[in-house]
Amino acid sequence: MENLEAFRQALENSHNKNNARQTINAVAINLTRAKSELSHATTSLAELMDIADEQNCKSCLVFLAELRATAIAAYNTINSAEKELQNKGGCQSRAT
């Protein structure tokens, strides 16, 4: 009976570890996608900033610069989270 209980606990622990790995990998994939979206957004904002500058719209330029700074900060935060996941060994397979 003791062996059966130990086997049950081992199976349960293995299942929990697999669930945790799957969750961590799903989070890592979502972080990668978010970084990509933010990268595209910052590029688009930079292009809009060029247009606002050409049109001499200073208030637009300030607003867009603030948005871009926020997007860059979010990108950096996500990048740090992604690196932390990798350092913990949770992100063994990456999808883009």
Side-chain angles (χ1 to χ4, degrees), residues 35-85:
K35 274 185 14 181
S36 177
E37 291 297 322
L38 283 167
S39 178
H40 293 302
T42 57
T43 299
S44 296
L45 287 168
E47 291 169 0
L48 288 172
M49 288 173 66
D50 289 342
I51 293 169
D53 192 35
E54 289 171 6
Q55 297 296 318
N56 203 23
C57 181
K58 298 300 179 194
S59 61
C60 295
L61 194 56
V62 169
F63 176 72
L64 292 169
E66 289 174 2
L67 283 177
R68 189 165 184 260
T70 301
I72 290 170
Y75 179 94
N76 290 336
T77 300
I78 290 170
N79 195 44
S80 294
E82 190 177 53
K83 286 180 182 177
E84 187 67 24
L85 273 178

Side-chain angles (χ1 to χ4, degrees), residues 8-29:
R8 186 194 65 75
Q9 287 179 349
L11 280 177
E12 187 175 301
N13 288 340
S14 175
H15 179 71
N16 290 340
K17 286 179 185 177
N18 285 337
N19 283 343
R21 274 191 216 108
Q22 288 173 348
T23 300
I24 289 170
N25 285 336
V27 168
I29 289 167

